[in-house]
Amino acid sequence: MSKTILINGMIITVNATNQVYKKGAIAFENGKITYVGEVPQNLAEYDEVIDVQGDYVLPGLVNTHGHASMSLLRGYADDLPLQQWLEEKMWPIEAQYTKEHAKWGTYLSLIEMLRTGTTTFVDMYDNMDEVAMAVEASGARARLCRGMIGFGTEELRQSKLEEASSFVRNWNNQANGRITTMMSPHSPYTCTPQFIEQIVSKALELDAPIHIHMSETKAEVEQNEKEYGERPVKHLEKLGVFSKRSLVAHAVHVEDWEMDILAKNDVKVSNNIISNLKLASGIAPVPEMLSKGITVSLGTDSSASNNNLDLFEELKQVALLFKGVHNDATLITAEKALQMATLHGAEAIWLEDQIGSLEVGKEADLIVMNTKQAFYQPAHNPISHLVYSGSGRDVKDVFVQGKQVVRNGECITIDEEKVIFEVNRLVEQF
Amino acid sequence: MSKTILINGMIITVNATNQVYKKGAIAFENGKITYVGEVPQNLAEYDEVIDVQGDYVLPGLVNTHGHASMSLLRGYADDLPLQQWLEEKMWPIEAQYTKEHAKWGTYLSLIEMLRTGTTTFVDMYDNMDEVAMAVEASGARARLCRGMIGFGTEELRQSKLEEASSFVRNWNNQANGRITTMMSPHSPYTCTPQFIEQIVSKALELDAPIHIHMSETKAEVEQNEKEYGERPVKHLEKLGVFSKRSLVAHAVHVEDWEMDILAKNDVKVSNNIISNLKLASGIAPVPEMLSKGITVSLGTDSSASNNNLDLFEELKQVALLFKGVHNDATLITAEKALQMATLHGAEAIWLEDQIGSLEVGKEADLIVMNTKQAFYQPAHNPISHLVYSGSGRDVKDVFVQGKQVVRNGECITIDEEKVIFEVNRLVEQF
């Protein structure tokens, strides 16, 4: 197999000591990283030597919550509260969704994510076969699940559960291991306790982790208390959701003792900071969760509530917002924010042995950024520049498992023009 | 003179009715806009017809507070509180600044601003002749002032006052009217009341507006109360700062009755939302100020506290933050945010007759964005896409006074490579 090395890069490893090689190199073979360090002498041993001329090289970002198909709804409804946005705008139009919508919506999202340096993402939606096929074709990495909303008949619920289970059986560890799966009750406010327990039991049987929306809005927490006599964290703990591996999206309205429950059960959190602001859901207690040792990663949520999938925006936002809100400029440093977007993302989906940092033995999921621009000058501190001044638009080249998927800012695995044409064609028919 | 028309663009006018022409045209001649509307029949009358093929065309953004020279300090110190950042990091290194630092720092900032669609900016610093010369050469538009810190001897203060006054006399309405000026006491905590009164009196004599930092941090407000028995707003009102035209930067810690004073005196506000978050200064009451009829515009502050000058980031942030903080998703819509970055910016520096919207008779300061990308699909709502999904990195072409300054994402009036070289050369000598 071909041996590739990138040389003369600012190699930002995000390893345990946050090591940065100012003029370093990274090599890979068979999809795995074989070398990280100073530029070695033995360049003749490599089949391909790429001189990145000082550009930054870093691990691909990990987006831990989203609904790729929903990109068809970007800008369809803004500046509305969550429940109204969901019930009056999103759900009626989503009811018209077919496999075709899922397919082209996912491709549109894949273009955005890959071009802005996200190499791995979590997706929860329906028509997941379409999503998985698009992921496979695009060369991206994803942890996918069929999100189950429990409204309607018992028959419908059971058919969804069977569909979700089949999806796990069919797709886990497919696409050369790039696709992994989960089981996903949509949320405690859209699934009865009984249905959640059924899903948990099936997840244990399939050895699949669980992904669920939780405590996104105050109203949802209050409704949970009224209906079940508990706030969502305790409610889900009782239903066994946290008994094995679980990833919750949002966790905006969680009290101190609830964070203790999340920490005790090693529940992973996907913080969706921009979507939570835009839908006026609130601001999650991220510094508090981090200080309790909870793994907090970053997610975009869908581009219908964000409105893009450029995780560099979350990276900057998480390093800014808490400073201003708590009047403490030392909260969530640039280094911590970068970890959250990479290594903690990998940990949140139990792939930290494979991705999330540039280390020998891990998969070669990495991005090269065009940092010869004004935004990255002068050369004081690359991690600061990346977080506070950078943009996903600066990503130039992207590799997943050592295979290039973006070259000079263009997706080479997806026909971007065709996707944009199909997306607009479909939307005109709504 | 040459007559130019851009056709087939999504023309976002930001006029009084927020008019958008889906497939429109805009024409200009002698630096002024001569037509905005549907694509006309008489294209043969134009010397240059540019088909922008559906790309968005909008007014150049207006950045109403910054210190361009300070870009040399980007990433030099982060994650520190304002006073420590200023006193231990910024001021010691700024003491080493020469004309050369001001020159190349300003050019670096100009590259960032022009490339991200800011055509007009406010600058407060010293060595302002260097700043003005760079603005003139770059083709940008700016309202400039020599910021006066009142520490040191009386002789030093008087020499600064003379320098600031000469700057106004020499540069106001220069560069074909693209440069206008102000007088600027740095802040109530760095200038004595006597010095501020002297500056106000000189400003009235020169018919120059006043620009000042005000109420950026809680500590500064408390110090003002302790020293002068008043909070800064009342203090500055008494000193005559608001007696004619004035623009205050920050206004983070202002109480309801203080906003009434600002409204009554038609004081313009530059909200620096990202810098205020990053330095943990707090969150200004923007929705409250807007509802009192105060003109609130957007500024980046310097790239030492931001850390870039891409005003599209402020544009998105101002549309997001208050929704999340106040649990109201209807606060500051995309349309209002866009106004703040354009028309309100023009109003904040008394140039609304010349710039801030695309209307016949105004100056041809406009930007074209590459919106054929995934981020702008599907075509539901261009203003939403611009604010929530767009990025300054998507700006393709920029015109100021009808003259092109950015073409295909590159500054054509500045040698970018040389600027980056000089900036790093200077910084290595610190």
Side-chain angles (χ1 to χ4, degrees), chain B residues 187-256:
Chain B
S187 73
Y189 66 92
T190 52
C191 295
T192 60
Q194 296 70 30
F195 191 39
I196 292 177
E197 282 177 329
Q198 282 190 321
I199 298 169
V200 169
S201 145
K202 189 57 88 173
L204 292 172
E205 183 190 319
L206 295 164
D207 193 27
I210 291 178
H211 184 34
I212 189 166
H213 294 107
M214 188 195 75
S215 303
E216 180 175 4
T217 66
K218 204 159 160 264
E220 169 202 331
V221 172
E222 287 166 359
Q223 190 192 320
N224 206 91
E225 278 184 300
K226 209 186 292 176
E227 265 181 70
Y228 305 117
E230 299 277 14
R231 293 168 64 88
V233 173
K234 191 81 198 157
H235 179 66
L236 294 182
E237 188 190 31
K238 282 188 179 171
L239 296 174
V241 171
F242 305 151
S243 60
K244 222 162 160 198
R245 290 178 295 168
S246 57
L247 167 65
V248 297
H250 304 302
V252 174
H253 298 277
V254 288
E255 297 182 348
D256 194 72

XYZ file of all heavy atoms in Angstrom, chain B residues 187-256:
560
model
N -10.849 57.358 26.910
C -11.905 56.857 27.807
C -11.940 57.723 29.050
O -10.965 58.425 29.345
C -11.604 55.420 28.225
O -10.521 55.417 29.156
N -13.037 57.645 29.820
C -13.076 58.407 31.076
C -12.082 57.884 32.114
O -11.765 58.613 33.045
C -14.523 58.237 31.560
C -15.143 57.204 30.715
C -14.321 57.040 29.484
N -11.578 56.680 31.979
C -10.623 56.167 32.984
C -9.162 56.413 32.592
O -8.262 56.125 33.360
C -10.879 54.696 33.334
C -10.642 53.697 32.212
C -9.410 53.070 32.045
C -11.665 53.354 31.338
C -9.197 52.154 31.021
C -11.469 52.448 30.322
C -10.225 51.849 30.166
O -10.018 50.946 29.158
N -8.952 56.946 31.385
C -7.575 57.270 30.995
C -7.401 58.768 30.721
O -6.322 59.193 30.324
C -7.170 56.494 29.717
O -8.171 56.715 28.713
C -7.023 55.011 29.970
N -8.487 59.530 30.884
C -8.416 60.976 30.658
C -9.077 61.697 31.833
O -10.174 61.301 32.254
C -9.180 61.366 29.385
S -8.470 60.712 27.869
N -8.465 62.741 32.333
C -9.085 63.534 33.392
C -10.260 64.311 32.804
O -10.310 64.551 31.580
C -8.087 64.557 33.962
O -7.680 65.426 32.889
C -6.870 63.863 34.557
N -11.183 64.737 33.685
C -12.310 65.557 33.205
C -11.813 66.796 32.459
O -12.373 67.169 31.421
C -13.027 65.950 34.496
C -12.715 64.845 35.452
C -11.322 64.406 35.109
N -10.757 67.421 32.976
C -10.236 68.629 32.338
C -9.769 68.334 30.911
O -10.059 69.091 29.972
C -9.045 69.197 33.138
C -9.394 69.671 34.550
C -9.726 68.521 35.515
O -9.217 67.405 35.377
N -10.610 68.785 36.472
N -9.049 67.236 30.754
C -8.538 66.891 29.431
C -9.698 66.590 28.480
O -9.704 67.021 27.319
C -7.574 65.701 29.548
C -6.788 65.415 28.302
C -6.281 66.438 27.513
C -6.529 64.099 27.917
C -5.540 66.165 26.360
C -5.790 63.808 26.779
C -5.298 64.841 25.993
N -10.695 65.868 28.988
C -11.862 65.563 28.137
C -12.536 66.866 27.699
O -12.883 67.030 26.517
C -12.859 64.630 28.867
C -12.225 63.238 29.059
C -14.177 64.510 28.099
C -13.069 62.244 29.824
N -12.693 67.800 28.625
C -13.321 69.080 28.256
C -12.519 69.834 27.198
O -13.083 70.420 26.273
C -13.510 69.956 29.498
C -14.716 69.516 30.331
C -14.871 70.325 31.621
O -13.843 70.769 32.185
O -16.021 70.493 32.061
N -11.215 69.789 27.338
C -10.360 70.430 26.313
C -10.577 69.796 24.937
O -10.642 70.486 23.920
C -8.885 70.266 26.687
C -8.400 71.209 27.765
C -6.892 71.132 27.900
O -6.321 70.026 27.804
N -6.250 72.269 28.105
N -10.670 68.466 24.947
C -10.847 67.755 23.670
C -12.212 68.089 23.067
O -12.334 68.343 21.864
C -10.669 66.228 23.861
C -9.247 65.919 24.337
C -10.984 65.486 22.576
C -9.030 64.481 24.808
N -13.238 68.108 23.923
C -14.581 68.444 23.442
C -14.581 69.839 22.821
O -15.139 70.044 21.728
C -15.604 68.379 24.599
C -16.944 68.995 24.183
C -15.801 66.935 25.060
N -13.935 70.759 23.505
C -13.929 72.131 23.014
C -13.225 72.216 21.657
O -13.686 72.882 20.722
C -13.307 73.025 24.098
O -12.580 74.055 23.532
N -12.126 71.500 21.525
C -11.409 71.466 20.254
C -12.269 70.789 19.170
O -12.282 71.238 18.010
C -10.084 70.719 20.455
C -9.130 70.767 19.298
C -8.743 72.166 18.871
C -7.540 72.683 19.656
N -7.080 73.997 19.108
N -12.987 69.743 19.545
C -13.842 69.037 18.576
C -14.929 69.971 18.057
O -15.231 69.989 16.858
C -14.471 67.800 19.228
N -15.503 70.775 18.955
C -16.546 71.708 18.533
C -15.957 72.749 17.582
O -16.546 73.074 16.548
C -17.179 72.386 19.756
C -18.013 71.458 20.660
C -18.433 72.174 21.937
C -19.235 70.909 19.915
N -14.769 73.209 17.914
C -14.092 74.188 17.075
C -13.843 73.628 15.670
O -14.006 74.320 14.666
C -12.766 74.550 17.763
C -11.934 75.622 17.086
C -10.543 75.686 17.744
O -10.457 75.587 19.003
O -9.546 75.786 16.998
N -13.455 72.346 15.621
C -13.127 71.712 14.333
C -14.360 71.108 13.648
O -14.255 70.544 12.565
C -12.085 70.605 14.544
C -10.704 71.035 15.032
C -9.923 69.832 15.555
C -9.938 71.717 13.897
N -15.503 71.195 14.317
C -16.731 70.539 13.846
C -16.503 69.039 13.612
O -16.971 68.453 12.626
C -17.258 71.209 12.572
C -18.680 70.757 12.263
O -19.398 70.381 13.215
O -19.062 70.729 11.075
N -15.752 68.428 14.515
C -15.470 66.983 14.405
C -16.308 66.223 15.434
O -16.478 66.686 16.555
C -13.989 66.720 14.667
N -16.812 65.053 15.072
C -17.513 64.232 16.062
C -16.518 63.678 17.086
O -15.300 63.761 16.889
C -18.103 63.094 15.232
C -17.926 63.462 13.809
C -16.781 64.412 13.754
N -17.078 63.110 18.171
C -16.227 62.542 19.224
C -16.421 61.027 19.291
O -17.542 60.528 19.190
C -16.572 63.184 20.576
C -16.129 64.654 20.549
C -15.905 62.449 21.738
C -16.447 65.412 21.804
N -15.312 60.336 19.457
C -15.361 58.880 19.621
C -14.636 58.532 20.904
O -13.535 59.023 21.155
C -14.692 58.207 18.409
C -14.761 56.710 18.416
N -15.843 56.017 18.927
C -13.882 55.756 17.987
C -15.620 54.712 18.797
N -14.445 54.527 18.235
N -15.252 57.685 21.728
C -14.679 57.357 23.046
C -15.095 55.960 23.477
O -16.165 55.482 23.118
C -15.149 58.427 24.089
C -14.421 58.264 25.430
C -16.666 58.389 24.287
C -14.584 59.463 26.371
N -14.192 55.268 24.195
C -14.561 54.016 24.867
C -15.408 54.368 26.084
O -15.057 55.291 26.816
C -13.318 53.290 25.393
C -12.384 52.783 24.353
N -11.170 53.361 24.100
C -12.477 51.724 23.503
C -10.539 52.677 23.150
N -11.307 51.687 22.762
N -16.461 53.588 26.353
C -17.284 53.897 27.525
C -17.949 52.652 28.112
O -18.549 51.869 27.393
C -18.368 54.904 27.155
C -19.157 55.419 28.354
S -20.686 56.245 27.847
C -21.686 54.812 27.421
N -17.828 52.486 29.415
C -18.548 51.448 30.165
C -18.340 50.061 29.566
O -19.284 49.299 29.395
C -20.045 51.794 30.250
O -20.217 53.072 30.836
N -17.086 49.749 29.301
C -16.763 48.433 28.739
C -16.780 47.370 29.833
O -17.242 46.264 29.618
C -15.377 48.502 28.070
C -14.921 47.190 27.435
C -13.596 47.341 26.671
O -13.012 48.445 26.722
O -13.166 46.354 26.047
N -16.223 47.715 31.019
C -16.184 46.730 32.110
C -16.876 47.288 33.353
O -16.986 48.496 33.540
C -14.733 46.406 32.521
O -14.127 47.571 33.096
C -13.914 45.928 31.342
N -17.270 46.364 34.219
C -17.910 46.720 35.488
C -16.914 47.476 36.352
O -17.265 48.480 36.990
C -18.343 45.423 36.184
C -19.468 45.580 37.158
C -20.157 44.232 37.393
C -20.942 44.233 38.687
N -20.197 43.657 39.829
N -15.679 47.025 36.363
C -14.648 47.635 37.211
C -14.442 49.104 36.849
O -14.279 49.964 37.721
C -13.338 46.869 37.060
N -14.470 49.366 35.556
C -14.258 50.725 35.062
C -15.410 51.644 35.501
O -15.189 52.797 35.874
C -14.186 50.595 33.534
C -14.214 51.805 32.725
C -14.691 51.454 31.295
O -14.474 50.317 30.820
O -15.314 52.325 30.665
N -16.618 51.114 35.489
C -17.791 51.894 35.916
C -17.684 52.192 37.410
O -17.923 53.324 37.851
C -19.098 51.136 35.594
C -20.295 51.847 36.223
C -19.273 50.995 34.089
N -17.295 51.182 38.184
C -17.172 51.367 39.637
C -16.082 52.387 39.972
O -16.238 53.218 40.861
C -16.885 50.023 40.319
C -18.113 49.122 40.335
C -17.799 47.664 40.681
O -16.603 47.333 40.889
O -18.749 46.868 40.739
N -14.982 52.304 39.221
C -13.885 53.251 39.447
C -14.345 54.683 39.141
O -14.011 55.626 39.860
C -12.711 52.874 38.539
C -11.423 53.641 38.857
C -10.384 53.448 37.764
O -10.222 52.356 37.221
N -9.670 54.524 37.443
N -15.126 54.814 38.088
C -15.634 56.136 37.709
C -16.520 56.721 38.819
O -16.419 57.901 39.164
C -16.435 56.008 36.408
C -16.463 57.293 35.614
O -15.617 57.516 34.772
N -17.422 58.177 35.924
N -17.369 55.843 39.379
C -18.242 56.273 40.473
C -17.419 56.722 41.672
O -17.714 57.722 42.308
C -19.158 55.127 40.895
C -20.372 54.981 39.995
C -21.334 53.902 40.490
O -20.890 52.732 40.579
O -22.488 54.236 40.797
N -16.365 55.936 41.958
C -15.538 56.244 43.120
C -14.799 57.572 42.906
O -14.772 58.434 43.779
C -14.521 55.107 43.339
C -14.116 54.952 44.803
C -12.998 53.933 44.991
C -13.425 52.496 44.700
N -12.283 51.556 44.809
N -14.238 57.747 41.722
C -13.408 58.931 41.490
C -14.210 60.197 41.241
O -13.822 61.278 41.667
C -12.468 58.698 40.295
C -11.109 58.223 40.733
C -10.178 58.016 39.567
O -9.761 59.011 38.946
O -9.886 56.836 39.263
N -15.317 60.052 40.502
C -16.030 61.255 40.064
C -17.464 61.319 40.592
O -18.207 62.241 40.254
C -16.028 61.332 38.535
C -14.639 61.272 37.936
C -14.266 60.230 37.104
C -13.686 62.262 38.249
C -12.991 60.161 36.565
C -12.408 62.197 37.716
C -12.060 61.146 36.873
O -10.805 61.075 36.347
N -17.866 60.303 41.366
C -19.207 60.336 41.954
C -20.334 60.102 40.953
O -21.498 60.323 41.263
N -19.981 59.654 39.763
C -20.988 59.407 38.727
C -20.596 58.179 37.919
O -19.408 57.900 37.767
C -21.031 60.571 37.713
C -21.383 61.930 38.243
C -22.881 62.149 38.380
O -23.649 61.158 38.305
O -23.267 63.294 38.576
N -21.573 57.521 37.374
C -21.276 56.492 36.381
C -20.852 57.190 35.077
O -21.146 58.369 34.881
C -22.496 55.591 36.153
C -22.833 54.749 37.405
C -24.192 54.085 37.279
N -24.220 53.136 36.186
C -23.865 51.838 36.283
N -23.459 51.353 37.448
N -23.936 51.034 35.236
N -20.167 56.471 34.174
C -19.575 57.140 33.006
C -20.550 57.928 32.125
O -20.183 58.996 31.610
C -18.930 55.987 32.227
C -18.578 54.989 33.287
C -19.703 55.067 34.287
N -21.775 57.431 31.937
C -22.686 58.117 31.009
C -22.971 59.536 31.497
O -22.836 60.512 30.743
C -24.006 57.322 30.838
C -25.013 58.131 30.019
C -23.733 55.984 30.151
N -23.358 59.639 32.768
C -23.672 60.950 33.345
C -22.412 61.837 33.339
O -22.482 63.040 33.027
C -24.170 60.723 34.781
C -24.776 61.929 35.439
C -26.223 62.131 35.006
C -26.669 63.549 35.302
N -27.796 63.965 34.457
N -21.308 61.226 33.705
C -20.016 61.920 33.744
C -19.680 62.529 32.375
O -19.376 63.723 32.275
C -18.966 60.883 34.158
C -17.556 61.368 34.244
N -17.138 62.291 35.171
C -16.442 61.022 33.528
C -15.830 62.502 35.018
N -15.389 61.741 34.026
N -19.801 61.754 31.340
C -19.476 62.255 29.992
C -20.501 63.272 29.513
O -20.160 64.237 28.829
C -19.366 61.081 29.002
C -18.205 60.115 29.242
C -18.173 59.039 28.168
C -16.859 60.852 29.284
N -21.760 63.060 29.886
C -22.791 64.038 29.501
C -22.429 65.408 30.091
O -22.461 66.423 29.411
C -24.168 63.596 29.987
C -25.294 64.489 29.438
C -26.645 64.236 30.092
O -26.669 63.856 31.285
O -27.672 64.424 29.408
N -22.067 65.379 31.389
C -21.707 66.642 32.066
C -20.505 67.321 31.414
O -20.418 68.549 31.388
C -21.361 66.364 33.534
C -22.577 66.168 34.423
C -22.134 66.090 35.875
C -23.308 65.923 36.824
N -22.850 65.633 38.201
N -19.585 66.514 30.906
C -18.370 67.080 30.306
C -18.602 67.561 28.867
O -17.679 68.006 28.198
C -17.225 66.062 30.342
C -16.759 65.652 31.744
C -15.723 64.538 31.671
C -16.188 66.859 32.504
N -19.827 67.391 28.391
C -20.170 67.905 27.063
C -19.864 66.948 25.917
O -20.023 67.300 24.743
N -19.457 65.735 26.258
C -19.086 64.783 25.200
C -20.262 64.496 24.262
O -20.072 64.268 23.065
C -18.536 63.471 25.828
C -18.354 62.394 24.781
C -17.229 63.757 26.553
N -21.479 64.523 24.820
C -22.648 64.188 23.997
C -23.320 65.432 23.395
O -24.388 65.343 22.825
C -23.690 63.433 24.837
C -23.146 62.198 25.518
C -23.696 61.754 26.717
C -22.097 61.470 24.972
C -23.213 60.614 27.353
C -21.604 60.334 25.603
C -22.163 59.904 26.795
N -22.673 66.587 23.530
C -23.360 67.820 23.149
C -23.553 67.960 21.643
O -24.477 68.601 21.192
C -22.610 69.036 23.694
O -21.296 69.052 23.159
N -22.670 67.340 20.871
C -22.908 67.400 19.428
C -22.957 65.969 18.874
O -23.816 65.201 19.284
C -21.851 68.269 18.732
C -22.526 69.156 17.682
C -21.694 70.330 17.230
C -22.241 70.808 15.883
N -21.269 71.643 15.197
N -22.027 65.590 18.022
C -22.080 64.223 17.472
C -21.109 63.329 18.228
O -19.903 63.641 18.288
C -21.688 64.248 15.992
C -22.713 64.916 15.093
C -22.228 64.957 13.651
N -21.046 65.792 13.485
C -20.287 65.835 12.391
N -20.578 65.066 11.363
N -19.233 66.629 12.329
N -21.588 62.216 18.779
C -20.672 61.332 19.503
C -20.989 59.860 19.263
O -22.139 59.471 19.063
C -20.719 61.633 21.002
O -22.040 61.497 21.472
N -19.929 59.081 19.246
C -20.003 57.619 19.047
C -19.262 56.974 20.206
O -18.056 57.216 20.388
C -19.317 57.248 17.720
C -19.012 55.761 17.477
C -20.298 54.934 17.368
C -18.168 55.584 16.210
N -19.971 56.157 21.004
C -19.300 55.469 22.109
C -19.103 53.995 21.761
O -19.972 53.349 21.185
C -20.084 55.586 23.445
C -20.174 57.042 23.890
C -21.465 54.962 23.363
N -17.923 53.501 22.079
C -17.645 52.071 21.859
C -17.955 51.313 23.141
O -17.610 51.771 24.230
C -16.183 51.875 21.478
N -18.605 50.154 22.988
C -18.913 49.201 24.060
C -20.266 49.443 24.724
O -21.202 48.728 24.443
C -17.784 49.100 25.087
C -16.477 48.750 24.467
N -16.307 47.598 23.735
C -15.301 49.408 24.399
C -15.077 47.548 23.274
N -14.438 48.655 23.661
N -20.384 50.389 25.649
C -21.663 50.596 26.364
C -22.222 49.269 26.861
O -23.393 48.941 26.652
C -22.660 51.325 25.473
N -21.364 48.479 27.500
C -21.785 47.165 28.016
C -22.554 47.334 29.321
O -23.639 46.780 29.501
C -20.563 46.253 28.247
C -20.979 44.943 28.925
C -19.845 45.980 26.929
N -21.976 48.136 30.232
C -22.587 48.277 31.552
C -23.330 49.601 31.636
O -22.842 50.568 32.204
C -21.507 48.139 32.634
C -20.868 46.783 32.592
N -21.428 45.679 33.198
C -19.767 46.329 31.949
C -20.681 44.619 32.954
N -19.673 44.984 32.198
N -24.498 49.634 31.025
C -25.333 50.838 31.063
C -26.707 50.446 31.594
O -27.304 49.460 31.154
C -25.461 51.509 29.666
C -24.149 52.179 29.285
C -25.862 50.511 28.594
N -27.169 51.216 32.568
C -28.480 50.953 33.164
C -29.563 51.625 32.332
O -29.272 52.421 31.442
C -28.468 51.451 34.609
C -27.445 50.678 35.433
C -27.404 51.070 36.904
O -28.001 52.101 37.268
O -26.768 50.323 37.675
N -30.786 51.271 32.662
C -31.920 51.767 31.883
C -31.919 53.295 31.756
O -32.049 53.840 30.655
C -33.224 51.285 32.539
C -34.397 51.459 31.617
O -34.486 50.702 30.636
O -35.195 52.379 31.846
